[in-house]
Amino acid sequence: MKNSGNFLDGLNEVQRKAAVHTEGPVMIVAGAGSGKTRVLTFRIAHLMKKGVDPFNILALTFTNKAAREMRERIVKIVGGNEGKNIWMGTFHSVFSRILRAEHDKLGYPKNFTIYDSDDSRSLIRDIIREQGLDEKIYKPNMVQARISISKNNLMSASSYNNNPQIQEDDKMSGKPKIGLVYRIYNRRLFKAGAMDFDDLLYNTNVLLRDHLDILVKYQDRFKYIHVDEYQDTNFSQYVIVKQLAARHRNLCVVGDDAQSIYAFRGANIQNILNFEKDYPDLQTFKLEQNYRSTKTIVEAANSVIKNNKEQLKKTVWTGNPEGDKIRVLKALTDNEEGHQVARTIYDLKMNEQAYNRHIAILYRTNAQSRSMEEGLRKMNISYKVYGGLSFYQRKEVKDLLSYFRLVINPGDEESLKRIINYPTRGIGETTLHKLLVTANDHDVSTWTIMENIQDFSVDITPATRKRISDFVAMIKSFNIRAHEANPYDLGMEIANGCGLLKELYNDKTPEGVSRYENVQELLNGLKEFSEGGTSFLAPPTQPGEEEKKPSLIEYMADIALLTDADEEDDSRDRVSLMTIHASKGLEFPYVFLVGLEENLFPSQYSVNSRADLEEERRLFYVALTRAEKRLFLSFAETRYRWGSLINCEPSRFIGELDPGCLAFEESGFKKKDERPIRRFKEPYEEKVFRKDPPSKKGPGKNMVKLAQAGKSYTESKYDNSHLKDLRVGMQVEHDRFGSGKVVSLEGIFPNNKAIIEFEDVGTKNLLIKFARLKIVAEQ
DNA sequence: GTGTAATGCTATTGG
DNA sequence: AGCATTACAC
């Protein structure tokens, strides 16, 4: 623990001023890498040292992980145990807790369910169908986006339907019923005791607007409010903050307009640009010194962002060394891009002793991870992909979570629909449909119908009735214990009792095994939660309030709002792969920014609108400024999309970079018909066209050698690179199954599967990377 | 009601 | 190309 008093010495002058200016409205405009987290951390620590009760401090961060890390740092500075009493987390997690505490004011159950995007889209799709609307016109995704935007602008279903402008727009676009879907959607959410993500903010606004006593209560609780990444707040969040801060006016927002990249989900850059209008007496601090990156990187980033019109004036500079030039890499195909990136990483590790964990590969869309993964795997470099299908969205994980959700809130219709017949228990589509219709007719939940099936005249057989009441009895037996039982024990009982664990265990295909493992992993997490007490997401326990025991209910309240970005870093040394959006707030010594092509980055959806293009440019700026030491840019001339090859042009953003920061091995980046950009190294010899006959000497000999030299292959236990050229019709020999013939192949090496007909044991479906297989003959 | 084959849709970005 | 939903056979 540090001695008190001197801890602020670790800040520069502006940082220190910003940290100690605790009273009144404050805006900290913080350039990339200027130490804003540090300022926020020290500021809160300073408040506590001054004697401010941590219960009175609120800090809203962009991810829960950021909150967790900041809390840890504050605890280190301040010492003692008080740090845990700060209210910290994302908007969604903090206000979902407040909504649970005040649930009765809004007529919601305390254990309301949080619907994720998939749940809410599925509900919207149901409503569209029930209303007899054409799904081709009323695309669920589009309707969902419209509803989401409305909620984030605090526009209720009624105002939506009563707004002449909107009604006119919807009519003109041939979709006059969106308002109706919105109204029904909200009604159904409420009936199910569920909120979608946007409701967590919307309903917080309703709560604060309609209940003055509640507003005053939280105004007085949150005497000091901090909002990180303020440039990415939406209107709904803006109003919440404004309301809460109205009484004490100690509001500190931190952000960088140049890094606003979430307009697509309602973030309003005007919130930060107009902060001064809302609080004319504000103090502004500009953090302009970058401590993160080399001069080259900072200058390159500046040269790009100056192409944007609307921004707050600031000049980011750094005292860091010049550093290496940014290298630009051209590849023939997306796959070759992956190979070259992997190869360059290999060189970095050899020549600069770089660790995997110091390296990030950033891309615009999740789909781009595939070619990067392939390249890394071949070079035997271990990596982790963030984002994409998150753990909690995997089918098997969501299935079990749906049981948990239903146990906690039997009104949760989306969960009910998901698992009522999984594992199959003879309650099929027709029965479910009858139940849903009856529920709708009586305006009660499907669960209520099932619970009282004898009271309703539903046309179903006695056998099916029995199955339904068995199901109801099972869920109820878990439900009565949801409050007090040990969450892990209860979770295990549910997983076993519902038959899901057995179902997965019996599936011996490679995918089935992995599904089983995923469920086990979920249960392990639940176990940790059970043993570790309440979570970091829970609000501090108020004085006089009894300490919360871990329960399944608490667990579910937590994980509904967790994302991949919140995962604790593991200690494994792995390269990070993620979208640029996901990289926000992170930094790496080595950054590879890939896929710099027109219509990919900037995205095809953005090129026709100035505002959208500026957002893409800010995204590019964010990507560049993640790098501390060295930065590599790359693009491919052709790329597979929807399974077919398309031609690409280099991104305009490359042309916007100050050429002096770039390393071209020849004359530099010119017009598209010139070919000045050479690869970093000799190109990896790769077949561009799939139709080429399999190479006689096998896949790049060097690759194999490197793969053998390395220690741990990311996934495979065996070096099966000789199976890359496996083709249908080949004769093979298996360690255990004997000799056989390849019947079919699918997927991409080494994650491909082969169906092989063995002479002795019949047909087997094998995952190539695990198969102990030899090629015996070509035919 | 259940399991498999065929179709069709998707890939901005995410709490 | 890969996945989810739908169509169709048992």
Side-chain angles (χ1 to χ4, degrees):
Chain A
M1 209 180 309
K2 299 219 173 113
N3 292 328
S4 61
N6 295 330
F7 72 101
L8 290 171
D9 291 349
L11 300 178
N12 71 27
E13 200 188 333
V14 194
Q15 288 177 331
R16 188 167 49 247
K17 278 185 183 158
V20 299
H21 192 101
T22 58
E23 309 302 304
V26 169
M27 174 163 75
I28 302 175
V29 182
S34 62
K36 71 181 164 68
T37 313
R38 205 172 161 76
V39 173
L40 262 183
T41 308
F42 279 66
R43 184 183 162 93
I44 293 170
H46 177 68
L47 280 169
M48 288 173 66
K49 289 215 173 191
K50 277 206 324 192
V52 173
D53 188 334
F55 283 113
N56 294 135
I57 301 173
L58 171 68
L60 297 165
T61 57
F62 197 69
T63 62
N64 288 303
K65 184 179 165 195
R68 184 172 59 212
E69 288 172 355
M70 201 188 295
R71 195 193 299 277
E72 281 164 9
R73 289 164 72 173
I74 292 168
V75 167
K76 271 202 193 118
I77 297 169
V78 180
N81 208 8
E82 281 289 282
K84 75 176 198 318
N85 291 330
I86 308 162
W87 285 72
M88 237 184 215
T90 62
F91 274 88
H92 290 87
S93 65
V94 166
F95 294 112
S96 74
R97 292 294 173 159
I98 289 179
L99 286 170
R100 283 193 203 283
E102 313 293 346
H103 66 280
D104 50 320
K105 314 290 187 304
L106 297 173
Y108 265 91
K110 182 165 175 44
N111 299 322
F112 66 81
T113 301
I114 297 170
Y115 275 6
D116 67 20
S117 307
D118 293 336
D119 298 323
S120 94
R121 192 175 319 115
S122 134
L123 174 53
I124 287 170
R125 183 180 293 121
D126 282 355
I127 295 168
I128 289 169
R129 284 179 194 169
E130 283 164 24
Q131 293 302 311
L133 302 172
D134 185 350
E135 264 183 81
K136 298 260 155 52
I137 297 168
Y138 290 86
K139 293 205 182 97
N141 265 323
M142 176 261 155
V143 177
Q144 184 184 32
R146 250 177 99 104
I147 293 174
S148 174
I149 290 167
S150 305
K151 285 188 180 178
N152 285 331
N153 286 314
L154 299 183
M155 176 174 281
S156 66
S158 322
S159 358
Y160 190 100
N161 284 301
N162 292 327
N163 184 310
Q165 184 63 52
I166 287 177
Q167 287 310 303
E168 187 59 28
D169 288 351
D170 281 355
K171 253 185 221 130
M172 292 295 281
S173 64
K175 304 176 192 82
K177 296 280 181 68
I178 291 178
L180 176 69
V181 177
Y182 185 8
R183 192 194 301 277
I184 298 171
Y185 171 69
N186 265 357
R187 208 152 53 205
R188 292 276 274 275
L189 280 171
F190 185 72
K191 252 176 58 187
M195 295 191 198
D196 65 20
F197 286 135
D198 304 318
D199 285 337
L200 297 175
L201 306 175
Y202 184 95
N203 287 333
T204 299
N205 270 295
V206 173
L207 180 72
L208 299 180
R209 181 194 67 197
D210 295 348
H211 300 272
L212 190 61
D213 52 327
I214 304 282
L215 175 63
V216 171
K217 170 173 155 190
Y218 287 101
Q219 282 176 336
D220 274 334
R221 177 165 303 167
F222 302 133
K223 293 196 171 73
Y224 294 89
I225 301 177
H226 306 81
V227 187
D228 196 5
E229 310 283 10
Y230 190 68
Q231 77 280 359
D232 282 324
T233 51
N234 60 35
F235 182 68
S236 184
Q237 293 167 321
Y238 162 82
V239 178
I240 292 172
V241 170
K242 196 169 181 190
Q243 290 281 72
L244 287 177
R247 194 171 169 85
H248 293 281
R249 304 189 85 247
N250 299 320
L251 170 62
C252 172
V253 304
V254 186
D256 180 4
D257 55 305
Q259 296 184 63
S260 163
I261 54 174
Y262 281 95
F264 74 91
R265 70 174 201 219
N268 187 353
I269 193 168
Q270 298 305 326
N271 287 349
I272 192 159
L273 297 177
N274 289 336
F275 191 76
E276 195 165 357
K277 290 193 184 122
D278 287 333
Y279 304 91
D281 55 329
L282 88 169
Q283 272 288 327
T284 305
F285 298 95
K286 284 187 187 173
L287 309 181
E288 297 178 307
Q289 181 174 4
N290 174 304
Y291 292 95
R292 177 185 295 156
S293 315
T294 63
K295 278 199 177 66
T296 303
I297 291 166
V298 170
E299 278 163 23
N302 283 342
S303 69
V304 165
I305 202 67
K306 71 164 193 270
N307 291 298
N308 273 6
K309 263 191 186 156
E310 215 177 356
Q311 46 183 321
L312 296 168
K313 252 188 262 133
K314 68 175 172 311
T315 317
V316 179
W317 60 280
T318 185
N320 290 341
E322 190 76 31
D324 292 314
K325 298 246 189 261
I326 298 166
R327 298 173 78 176
V328 184
L329 153 67
K330 176 167 85 173
L332 292 175
T333 66
D334 47 354
N335 287 329
E336 204 218 30
E337 186 183 31
H339 291 137
Q340 296 204 43
V341 167
R343 195 187 176 110
T344 311
I345 289 175
Y346 185 88
D347 290 345
L348 285 177
K349 293 174 56 154
M350 288 294 119
N351 303 333
E352 304 193 19
Q353 288 75 48
Y355 286 100
N356 288 335
R357 62 174 178 279
H358 291 156
I359 301 169
I361 302 176
L362 308 181
Y363 35 77
R364 180 65 178 82
T365 67
N366 282 306
Q368 288 167 258
S369 74
R370 204 215 72 237
S371 55
M372 294 298 133
E373 289 183 66
E374 268 182 61
L376 292 168
R377 265 204 299 269
K378 286 190 184 127
M379 295 295 277
N380 213 13
I381 296 164
S382 55
Y383 61 87
K384 176 174 167 63
V385 182
Y386 292 82
L389 245 204
S390 97
F391 179 74
Y392 297 105
Q393 286 177 323
R394 293 189 188 161
K395 183 187 177 304
E396 61 277 16
V397 174
K398 234 193 139 177
D399 286 337
L400 183 53
L401 290 178
S402 290
Y403 274 98
F404 293 174
R405 274 165 53 169
L406 192 67
V407 163
I408 289 166
N409 171 18
D412 181 344
E413 300 271 316
E414 293 309 308
S415 292
L416 178 70
K417 279 190 283 190
R418 190 178 180 96
I419 52 149
I420 188 169
N421 201 32
Y422 182 79
T424 50
R425 51 174 70 84
I427 310 176
E429 244 171 77
T430 20
T431 307
L432 177 60
H433 187 247
K434 283 174 192 163
L435 291 171
L436 291 172
V437 168
T438 315
N440 243 344
D441 289 349
H442 293 81
D443 199 34
V444 294
S445 71
T446 312
W447 175 259
T448 310
I449 303 288
M450 293 171 65
E451 214 179 359
N452 306 287
I453 189 76
Q454 69 288 344
D455 300 336
F456 295 95
S457 51
V458 193
D459 174 31
I460 37 181
T461 62
T464 309
R465 279 170 192 269
K466 171 81 166 58
R467 294 188 195 117
I468 291 172
S469 48
D470 285 352
F471 180 76
V472 168
M474 175 178 75
I475 298 297
K476 273 189 173 167
S477 74
F478 298 134
N479 173 273
I480 49 172
R481 305 177 42 219
H483 283 275
E484 78 287 354
N486 172 294
Y488 176 67
D489 294 346
L490 182 58
M492 267 322 259
E493 277 180 56
I494 296 173
N496 281 314
C498 71
L500 191 139
L501 220 45
K502 195 170 156 233
E503 173 98 3
L504 292 174
Y505 183 76
N506 288 336
D507 183 352
K508 294 299 184 192
T509 64
E511 296 88 348
V513 171
S514 127
R515 277 197 287 269
Y516 182 75
E517 286 168 0
N518 284 335
V519 169
Q520 287 298 345
E521 197 180 326
L522 179 70
L523 289 165
N524 285 342
L526 183 55
K527 188 168 191 180
E528 260 174 51
F529 175 83
S530 302
E531 288 160 0
T534 52
S535 72
F536 67 89
L537 285 182
T541 310
Q542 296 299 296
E545 196 184 51
E546 65 181 286
E547 196 81 36
K548 285 187 200 68
K549 276 205 310 263
S551 70
L552 195 63
I553 291 173
E554 284 293 313
Y555 176 75
M556 292 304 285
D558 252 32
I559 66 162
L561 296 168
L562 278 188
T563 70
D564 276 8
D566 296 322
E567 261 176 57
E568 201 118 24
D569 296 322
D570 59 40
S571 48
R572 279 179 282 179
D573 184 35
R574 300 191 287 183
V575 173
S576 300
L577 275 66
M578 64 185 83
T579 63
I580 304 162
H581 283 92
S583 76
K584 183 160 125 150
L586 305 178
E587 56 189 16
F588 301 87
Y590 303 91
V591 168
F592 290 81
L593 178 56
V594 303
L596 283 168
E597 295 136 38
E598 285 294 302
N599 297 323
L600 181 61
F601 192 20
S603 118
Q604 52 188 328
Y605 302 99
S606 72
V607 291
N608 292 321
S609 130
R610 162 115 205 160
D612 289 350
L613 193 60
E614 291 210 347
E615 173 145 324
E616 294 283 307
R617 191 174 284 114
R618 291 192 295 269
L619 194 57
F620 186 53
Y621 177 80
V622 168
L624 299 175
T625 54
R626 297 311 93 199
E628 297 171 359
K629 207 171 149 195
R630 296 189 67 180
L631 180 59
F632 301 84
L633 310 178
S634 69
F635 63 94
E637 293 186 303
T638 57
R639 176 176 296 279
Y640 277 93
R641 226 171 174 183
W642 324 113
S644 57
L645 199 64
I646 57 158
N647 288 317
C648 314
E649 251 180 81
S651 168
R652 69 190 74 190
F653 292 151
I654 298 178
E656 291 178 5
L657 288 161
D658 178 351
C661 301
L662 303 177
F664 296 116
E665 291 172 16
E666 290 179 13
S667 53
F669 190 78
K670 296 265 180 75
K671 295 179 213 82
K672 66 180 171 194
D673 291 323
E674 295 182 31
R675 310 189 127 221
I677 299 166
R678 277 225 314 260
R679 303 175 184 94
F680 294 145
K681 297 280 170 186
E682 330 76 84
Y684 172 71
E685 305 293 341
E686 208 222 8
K687 298 288 172 276
V688 178
F689 302 104
R690 305 252 151 133
K691 285 181 191 118
D692 281 1
S695 141
K696 287 281 174 316
K697 52 184 196 292
K701 272 186 276 177
N702 293 338
M703 299 298 147
V704 178
K705 222 188 287 168
L706 294 172
Q708 285 161 347
K711 273 174 292 183
S712 68
Y713 201 71
T714 315
E715 285 182 73
S716 172
K717 294 181 184 67
Y718 317 107
D719 176 15
N720 271 351
S721 47
H722 61 284
L723 293 178
K724 194 187 177 190
D725 292 326
L726 198 68
R727 295 289 179 272
V728 171
M730 283 179 174
Q731 291 290 334
V732 294
E733 178 84 22
H734 189 275
D735 272 12
R736 214 149 60 85
F737 299 139
S739 57
K741 188 177 164 186
V742 180
V743 178
S744 80
L745 284 167
E746 55 178 85
I748 296 159
F749 182 86
N751 284 325
N752 52 346
K753 291 188 303 189
I755 296 175
I756 296 171
E757 190 143 22
F758 289 100
E759 285 165 19
D760 301 328
V761 292
T763 309
K764 296 277 173 193
N765 194 345
L766 300 175
L767 200 57
I768 298 300
K769 66 180 167 197
F770 295 124
R772 292 201 245 172
L773 211 59
K774 273 198 309 247
I775 298 175
V776 178
E778 298 277 317
Q779 275 309 318

